[in-house]
């Protein structure tokens, strides 16, 4: 590759990284400032703490439902188009929330929260977009830069809840509605950046193999798979889930991501309500949520390094241990009377547990499934983790009413126990699959390890296939 081509490729890579990072900063602000007050606003509109969790449930459910359509749209059109549309839907959701607050109709508010969840799905997709134009040896670094950018916005966002409240008073939507006005502005700014992402050149293969990606660098700057032919079809979600089920390591990674996200959301969404009931101000709540989000993202590069150095499975076990410690501290905070030190410690540990399970689980999934189905598996995982979290966020409000913050954390411990059980069974299954050939009956050996004479005719070399099989194959090729 010429020096000019190398410079052009590097310029494209740097440009896209800056645009995506800037978009993630403002997206993080928009999401975090809304999440900081969403549960409190739902409680105020409905008049019941039992419905506080439904605000986050609607948002998470929206993220889960939109995750796969946005991924498919990125395949068919472009990353830029999908990301911009995702943030547009989130901005529209924020405006609908303001309307619901102004007219005092909870249903309108919850519809807006569902669309608001599009920002979460879009942010998850952006972490994959960060690697599209990166050379092979910089893909991990490219992803980490965008994750860190989201950290800046996510940590800053909750601290804007207080000035957002003042804005809400002037707009007539109240102190709790104002932060969503800031969210709408933040998403619009994010769109300004994602809409400028470079589209792919027509003479460069599509990184996704579907004619949809836009981050194409000059030829030779990255290793791209060949474009799909019209006869090839995209894998279905059912095929993706079956691929996960039949691979113990992939199943463990899927479990870590889905259950880890479920634990984090179910506890996090009720923390502001728990603190408000204990007399904490919105400013204090914002600080605690900021610390929690910092725990989620600040050490993500360290967990990524640990997964590469020691393997993803030990990092997943570390995540389970951090979740356990968080739940114990959370229960102690409720029983002894809430204090900022204890609740902050619990929420930081919660964020660290999520980070360990999310990064190591995602890495394990990517390592354990075939290239041809990887993008679909990743989309199915993102959808599943959001849908699972939505279910538990929906019951978090009633659980808080019945048993307080203690019951919320006890349920979290139960989910951790389920994850540990799956991990033990998956590791045992993986150990059995790795036994030496002499210890495994031929019937249990995969076709790829069986002698040619024991394989189906369709998988044997031509020299060992029957005359009729060779004849049929030649006729098909002709």
């Amino acid at each position: 590759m010429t020096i000019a081509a190398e410079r052009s490729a590097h310029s494209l890579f740097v440009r896209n990284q800056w645009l995506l990072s800037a978009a993630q900063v403002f997206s993080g602000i928009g999401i975090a400032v809304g999440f900081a007050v969403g549960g409190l606003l739902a409680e105020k509109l409905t008049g019941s703490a039992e419905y506080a969790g439904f605000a986050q449930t609607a948002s998470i459910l929206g993220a889960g439902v939109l995750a796969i359509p946005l991924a498919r749209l990125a395949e068919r059109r472009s990353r830029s188009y999908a990301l911009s549309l995702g943030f547009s839907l989130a901005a529209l959701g924020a405006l609908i929330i303001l309307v619901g607050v102004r007219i005092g109709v909870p249903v309108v508010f919850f519809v807006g929260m569902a669309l608001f969840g599009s920002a979460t799905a879009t942010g998850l997709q952006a972490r994959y977009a960060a690697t599209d134009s990166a050379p092979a040896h910089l893909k991990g670094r490219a992803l980490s830069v965008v994750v860190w950018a989201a950290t800046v916005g996510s940590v800053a966002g909750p601290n804007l809840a207080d000035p957002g409240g003042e804005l809400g008073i002037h707009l007539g939507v109240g102190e709790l509605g104002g932060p969503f006005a800031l969210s709408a502005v933040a998403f619009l700014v994010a769109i300004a950046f994602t809409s400028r992402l470079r589209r792919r050149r027509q003479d460069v293969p599509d990184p996704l193999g579907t004619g949809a990606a836009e981050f194409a660098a000059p030829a030779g700057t990255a290793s791209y798979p060949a474009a799909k032919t019209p006869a090839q079809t995209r894998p279905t979600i059912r095929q993706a889930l079956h691929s996960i089920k039949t691979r113990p390591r992939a199943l463990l990674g899927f479990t870590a991501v889905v259950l880890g996200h479920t634990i984090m959301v179910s506890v996090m969404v009720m923390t502001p309500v728990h603190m408000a009931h204990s007399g904490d101000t919105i400013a204090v709540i914002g600080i605690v949520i900021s610390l929690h989000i910092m725990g989620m993202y600040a050490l993500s590069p360290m967990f990524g390094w640990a997964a590469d150095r020691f393997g993803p499975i030990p990092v997943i076990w570390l995540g389970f241990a951090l979740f356990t410690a968080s739940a114990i501290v959370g229960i102690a905070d409720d029983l002894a009377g809430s204090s900022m030190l204890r609740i902050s410690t619990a929420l930081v540990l919660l964020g660290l547990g999520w980070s360990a399970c999310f990064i190591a689980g995602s890495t394990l999934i990517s390592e354990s499934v075939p290239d041809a189905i990887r993008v679909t598996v990743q989309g199915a995982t993102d959808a599943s983790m959001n849908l699972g979290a939505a279910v538990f966020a929906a019951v978090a409000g009633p659980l808080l009413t019945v048993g307080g913050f203690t019951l919320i954390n006890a349920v979290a411990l139960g989910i951790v126990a389920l994850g540990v059980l799956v991990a033990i069974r998956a590791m045992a299954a993986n150990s059995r699959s790795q036994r030496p050939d002499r210890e495994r009956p031929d019937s249990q050996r995969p076709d790829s390890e069986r002698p040619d004479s024991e394989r189906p005719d369709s998988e044997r070399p031509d020299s060992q296939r029957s005359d009729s099989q060779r004849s049929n194959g030649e006729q098909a090729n002709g």
Side-chain angles (χ1 to χ4, degrees):
M1 185 170 60
T2 65
I3 295 178
E6 290 179 352
R7 290 177 177 174
S8 177
H10 181 71
S11 177
L12 175 68
F13 168 60
V14 172
R15 179 180 186 274
N16 288 334
Q17 284 297 100
W18 275 107
L19 289 172
L20 278 170
S21 297
Q24 284 291 82
V25 168
F26 286 95
S27 169
I29 290 174
I31 293 172
V33 71
F35 271 168
V37 298
L40 298 174
L41 187 54
E43 182 181 16
K44 180 179 178 180
L45 284 174
T46 61
S48 173
E50 294 184 3
Y51 292 98
F54 280 88
Q56 312 302 347
T57 299
S59 179
I60 298 165
L61 186 61
V65 170
L66 291 170
I68 293 176
L70 286 174
R72 295 296 196 189
L73 188 62
E75 291 178 335
R76 293 187 177 94
R77 296 289 297 271
S78 71
R79 289 283 198 191
S80 177
Y81 186 88
L83 294 176
S84 298
L85 178 61
F87 287 135
S88 297
L89 292 174
L92 176 61
L95 295 177
I96 292 176
I97 289 170
L98 295 177
V99 172
V101 174
R102 186 64 183 267
I103 64 178
V105 179
V107 173
V108 176
F109 165 77
F110 288 123
V111 170
M113 287 298 297
L115 286 175
F116 188 85
S118 177
T120 300
T122 307
L124 290 172
Q125 187 182 113
R127 80 185 191 271
Y128 297 123
T131 66
D132 286 347
S133 64
H137 66 287
L138 291 178
K139 289 186 181 293
R141 188 180 303 175
L143 189 148
S144 66
V145 167
V146 173
V147 171
W148 270 79
T151 305
V152 174
S154 298
V155 172
N159 291 298
L160 297 176
D162 205 24
E166 296 180 5
L167 175 62
I169 294 174
H170 291 293
L171 294 176
V173 293
E175 183 182 17
L176 296 177
F180 286 99
L182 295 181
S183 295
V185 174
F187 295 143
L188 291 176
V189 175
I191 294 169
F193 290 107
T194 57
S195 63
R196 297 180 59 201
L197 293 171
R198 284 284 300 275
R199 294 183 179 274
R200 72 182 181 90
R201 286 186 357 217
Q202 295 300 319
D203 59 332
V204 179
D206 177 2
L208 292 175
T210 59
E214 72 280 5
F215 299 142
T221 61
S223 176
Y224 294 117
K228 292 183 181 179
T229 63
Q232 291 177 294
T233 58
R234 299 182 182 89
T236 64
I237 301 302
R238 183 176 181 180
Q239 290 171 329
L241 294 176
H242 179 74
S243 179
I244 294 170
K245 181 180 178 181
T246 56
R247 291 171 170 81
R249 287 171 62 84
L251 179 60
L252 174 54
F254 178 85
T255 300
V257 171
V258 174
L259 294 189
H261 193 67
T262 299
I263 293 168
M264 186 276 293
V265 171
S266 62
V267 176
M268 185 268 289
V269 298
M270 286 294 101
T271 298
V273 180
H274 163 67
M275 294 181 67
H277 290 174
S278 300
D280 291 314
T281 65
I282 188 171
V284 173
I285 293 172
I287 292 173
V288 171
I289 296 300
S290 291
L291 292 173
H292 164 66
I293 296 173
M294 185 179 295
M296 289 175 62
Y297 296 109
L299 297 184
S300 55
M302 187 191 76
F303 288 126
W305 171 84
D308 290 337
R309 178 68 176 81
F310 305 107
I313 294 178
V315 180
I316 290 175
W317 281 111
L318 175 61
F320 288 157
L322 290 167
F323 277 136
T324 301
S326 171
I328 292 173
V329 176
I331 291 173
D333 182 72
D334 190 37
L335 296 179
S338 184
S339 73
M340 185 175 178
L341 177 61
R342 275 194 299 266
I343 196 65
S344 297
T345 301
L347 267 290
V348 169
L349 289 171
L350 183 71
L352 291 172
W354 177 89
S355 185
C357 286
F358 181 77
I359 292 174
S362 299
T363 302
L364 196 56
I365 290 172
S366 297
E367 294 177 352
S368 307
V369 297
D371 291 344
I373 202 170
R374 182 169 298 146
V375 173
T376 306
V377 167
Q378 290 168 340
T381 302
D382 285 352
S384 298
M385 76 177 194
N386 281 299
L387 293 175
V391 171
F392 278 87
V395 301
L399 288 176
L400 186 70
T401 301
V402 172
F405 205 53
T406 296
L407 183 56
I408 296 290
N409 283 278
V411 170
L413 284 174
I415 301 174
V416 173
L418 177 61
V420 169
L421 177 62
V422 172
I424 293 173
R425 297 187 63 177
M427 292 175 64
N430 185 68
S431 179
R432 289 194 299 269
S433 69
Q434 297 299 320
R435 286 186 301 174
D437 290 344
R438 64 178 179 272
E439 297 181 10
R440 282 188 289 170
D442 288 341
S443 60
Q444 295 182 5
R445 293 163 62 189
D447 288 340
S448 60
E449 298 179 6
R450 300 171 70 179
D452 290 333
S453 59
E454 297 179 10
R455 298 190 191 185
D457 282 343
S458 60
E459 298 181 5
R460 297 185 194 179
D462 284 343
S463 61
Q464 297 184 16
R465 295 169 66 186
S466 64
D467 292 338
S468 60
Q469 289 287 336
R470 285 198 299 272
S471 176
N472 291 338
E474 292 170 358
Q475 292 176 7
N477 292 334

